[in-house]
Amino acid sequence: MRVEAPRRGAGRPVMTMHRTLLACATALGLLVSSETRAEPSAPPIFCERYPTSATCLGGPASCDTCHDSTEPVDWNPYGEAVRKALGGPLSPSEFTLRLDLALGAIETADADGDGVSNRDEIQEGSLPGDPTSVPFEAVCPEDTTGMDYPICERSPRHILRKIHLDVCGRSPRWVEMEAFLEQSPEAQEAALHEALDVCLDSEHWLGKDGVLWQLAHPKVRPVAALKGSAVEVGPVPLANYDHDYQLYVWSQIDDHDARSVLTADFGVLRDDGPTRYYAATDTELEQECAFCLEPMQVERRVGNITSRWFLSYFVMFTPLPRAAASQAYRAYLGYDIARNEGLFPITVDQGFPVTEPADHDRSGVDAPGCATCHSTLDPLSYAFRNYTGLVSAPGYGRTQYIPDRLEQLWPDDTALHATPESGYLLAESYDNLVEWGQIAANSDAFAKAAVMDYWRLLVGRPPTADEGPEYESIWRRFQGEHDYSVERMLHDLVDTEAYGAI
């Protein structure tokens, strides 16, 4: 455990990446643009200026960097300082040009009067507009001799114990620890990775309801009342979401490609005692149980975002499945549009051939208060246009791809029929959901989010600013030399000071 003390004053602990720096920069456009709306160009500009800050390590940000509440006009001292430095009112293009200069103009000031400059607070992840939020400094003892676990130092003994607890679900046995301590430092380092390999095959890690299974909870979003399987049937059985868990876990183990969760055209089955996961044919799925069959046409499958459960739950009866797109974006790329994260507005002003949202379903999403988010969300959603949820058309079952779904299910709504199947993801164009999955799976956002899941799980918090280089090195190696193998990536993670130091 690190002993931490505030640099000055008392207050909340340092706000790191879980305080993502998005909404601050997004909301900076409010009241400074000519249309009094948020400017989604702000987050990347902010993070281009502060790329190594704790707030920018994972991408976006939160409203309280610049605001005291969720009301966009309720500025905190830092937001007010930025607003004044920008001047105004500004057009979107003027805002984009002047934001970096405005941020630079106030970074040496102390907007909230807590004794720490705006720049230092941003770098460390505390809030430059909140006097009760200040960076913390680690206070380490000068002499660690005689301690079982030396404070503020990487301790192989501590790491061995953590690996066993985190991955095996138990402490190392006394004989295991004694044998480990008798080895040379070099042999101990090798033994740590041998222990990790053993624990990665444990039931605690990969079994049903194990660590990986639980890591998938926010991605699958299970609802017991809607589950249908051979052994568990809820009051309204829609699908067996165990298959979603099984594909996710399969993608995380045995040097499999983690991108399979977004690209697989196959299902995965699980054998108990000891647990074994294997890629399954449609015949094997059908033999397991009726609810287990994934009816989606093979050529239209995109991993877990076209599973029977995902489409049943997130598409349901919806013409334009925004909920499906936003869940996929949040679960696998780490961007929560509801929190203004990951906004890449598709507009002519941004250099695209169209301006979104087009509001094909006449939901009012082109209103000033909605357009900022929907200029990203709607182009994400078009890929799901022809994927049906709980309704079907002649010749098709539910949770299948129907080439003219909108025309068949809403025959009189000609405006809705103009909804395209092509759109934009991360500002990159796609023609269909299969391409959507490929763009997502090969993006930096996917690698960052995947590594962040495990960093949070094993370190217990997001990376700090000082740990940013280690975090970036891990997710880039995950993309590159590790070929998206989670198990290889984990060997990098347990070698970090963040994991090993007390």
Side-chain angles (χ1 to χ4, degrees):
M1 291 177 35
R2 285 167 54 169
V3 181
E4 297 184 327
R7 185 175 301 166
R8 175 172 176 167
R12 294 185 305 203
V14 61
M15 309 304 290
T16 51
M17 253 186 340
H18 61 294
R19 288 286 201 181
T20 46
L21 174 90
L22 162 139
C24 152
T26 301
L28 287 176
L30 289 163
L31 302 183
V32 297
S33 75
S34 59
E35 299 178 4
T36 314
R37 61 185 176 87
E39 291 300 331
S41 60
I45 296 172
F46 191 104
C47 287
E48 282 173 11
R49 184 165 192 88
Y50 305 112
T52 61
S53 68
T55 25
C56 287
L57 286 177
S62 80
C63 301
D64 50 8
T65 308
C66 292
H67 299 279
D68 289 327
S69 73
T70 56
E71 292 297 324
V73 296
D74 192 7
W75 300 95
N76 65 33
Y78 178 72
E80 183 64 27
V82 175
R83 188 177 72 86
K84 289 180 178 178
L86 278 165
L90 303 176
S91 68
S93 59
E94 289 172 329
F95 172 81
T96 298
L97 289 172
R98 292 170 63 171
L99 177 58
D100 183 69
L101 292 175
L103 294 172
I106 65 166
E107 63 183 16
T108 59
D110 177 14
D112 56 10
D114 60 7
V116 185
S117 72
N118 297 332
R119 178 181 176 83
D120 285 348
E121 293 219 54
I122 291 166
Q123 286 298 129
E124 295 300 323
S126 59
L127 300 175
D130 182 350
T132 68
S133 173
V134 293
F136 275 58
E137 293 178 305
V139 178
C140 297
E142 294 183 2
D143 185 6
T144 61
T145 58
M147 293 184 176
D148 288 339
Y149 296 102
I151 302 296
C152 299
E153 296 179 17
R154 186 175 184 277
S155 167
R157 178 181 179 179
H158 172 63
I159 298 171
L160 182 69
R161 185 170 183 272
K162 272 182 61 66
I163 287 173
H164 276 83
L165 287 171
D166 293 340
V167 188
C168 269
R170 63 170 178 85
S171 294
R173 298 180 177 90
W174 184 84
V175 293
E176 292 173 326
M177 182 62 78
E178 288 299 302
F180 177 80
L181 295 175
E182 290 175 358
Q183 299 183 68
S184 67
E186 295 78 12
Q188 286 182 355
E189 292 299 327
L192 291 176
H193 290 279
E194 292 170 4
L196 177 60
D197 281 333
V198 171
C199 287
L200 287 172
D201 289 330
S202 69
E203 289 296 300
H204 176 75
W205 185 255
L206 56 76
K208 184 174 182 180
D209 298 320
V211 174
L212 293 180
W213 200 277
Q214 294 179 50
L215 199 61
H217 284 342
K219 306 177 193 306
V220 177
R221 301 276 296 274
V223 180
L226 305 180
K227 185 176 185 181
S229 74
V231 294
E232 297 174 284
V233 181
V236 186
L238 296 182
N240 181 14
Y241 46 71
D242 282 359
H243 284 180
D244 300 66
Y245 284 100
Q246 288 161 196
L247 174 56
Y248 176 79
V249 175
W250 184 92
S251 73
Q252 310 295 293
I253 63 174
D254 298 336
D255 281 341
H256 294 151
D257 189 330
R259 294 172 297 177
S260 301
V261 74
L262 284 177
T263 61
D265 62 1
F266 53 85
V268 169
L269 290 177
R270 177 180 57 84
D271 284 338
D272 284 323
T275 293
R276 182 176 73 93
Y277 295 88
Y278 61 96
T281 66
D282 284 351
T283 301
E284 289 172 310
L285 290 169
E286 188 172 15
Q287 288 173 346
E288 184 175 275
C289 69
F291 288 112
C292 301
L293 178 64
E294 295 294 341
M296 180 58 60
Q297 300 93 319
V298 172
E299 69 277 9
R300 296 293 182 176
R301 292 179 182 174
V302 189
N304 269 352
I305 64 172
T306 58
S307 74
R308 187 169 193 167
W309 169 251
F310 187 92
L311 296 176
S312 295
Y313 190 54
F314 292 106
V315 173
M316 288 194 170
F317 308 99
T318 312
L320 182 55
R322 296 184 179 95
S326 61
Q327 169 63 9
Y329 203 46
R330 176 174 53 247
Y332 299 108
L333 300 186
Y335 290 136
D336 190 342
I337 290 180
R339 298 180 61 199
N340 289 331
E341 296 175 356
L343 298 184
F344 296 87
I346 305 303
T347 67
V348 172
D349 286 347
Q350 298 288 338
F352 295 95
V354 296
T355 292
E356 294 286 352
D359 198 20
H360 294 289
D361 60 352
R362 301 176 307 287
S363 297
V365 296
D366 54 350
C370 304
T372 297
C373 290
H374 282 272
S375 63
T376 294
L377 176 56
D378 283 24
L380 290 179
S381 306
Y382 296 153
F384 291 90
R385 178 201 196 276
N386 291 326
Y387 287 81
T388 191
L390 297 181
V391 291
S392 61
Y396 296 94
R398 64 181 181 89
T399 64
Q400 283 196 313
Y401 180 90
I402 303 175
D404 51 355
R405 180 178 77 103
L406 299 183
E407 290 78 4
Q408 289 209 48
L409 300 181
W410 291 270
D412 298 326
D413 194 338
T414 56
L416 187 61
H417 300 169
T419 306
E421 188 174 9
S422 59
Y424 294 89
L425 167 65
L426 303 174
E428 187 173 344
S429 64
Y430 65 79
D431 287 331
N432 51 55
L433 190 58
V434 174
E435 290 186 11
W436 193 107
Q438 292 289 342
I439 292 170
N442 290 302
S443 69
D444 286 354
F446 176 83
K448 290 179 181 180
V451 173
M452 181 62 69
D453 280 345
Y454 288 97
W455 188 291
R456 288 176 181 270
L457 173 72
L458 298 179
V459 178
R461 53 167 174 75
T464 64
D466 290 344
E467 294 159 354
E470 278 188 319
Y471 167 68
E472 180 173 358
S473 173
I474 291 174
W475 69 256
R476 289 197 181 279
R477 280 164 56 85
F478 175 60
Q479 280 182 318
E481 60 193 272
H482 292 330
D483 294 325
Y484 293 91
S485 164
V486 166
E487 293 193 349
R488 284 188 245 170
M489 178 271 292
L490 290 174
H491 281 275
D492 279 355
L493 202 157
V494 300
D495 277 340
T496 63
E497 182 179 352
Y499 184 77
I502 305 176

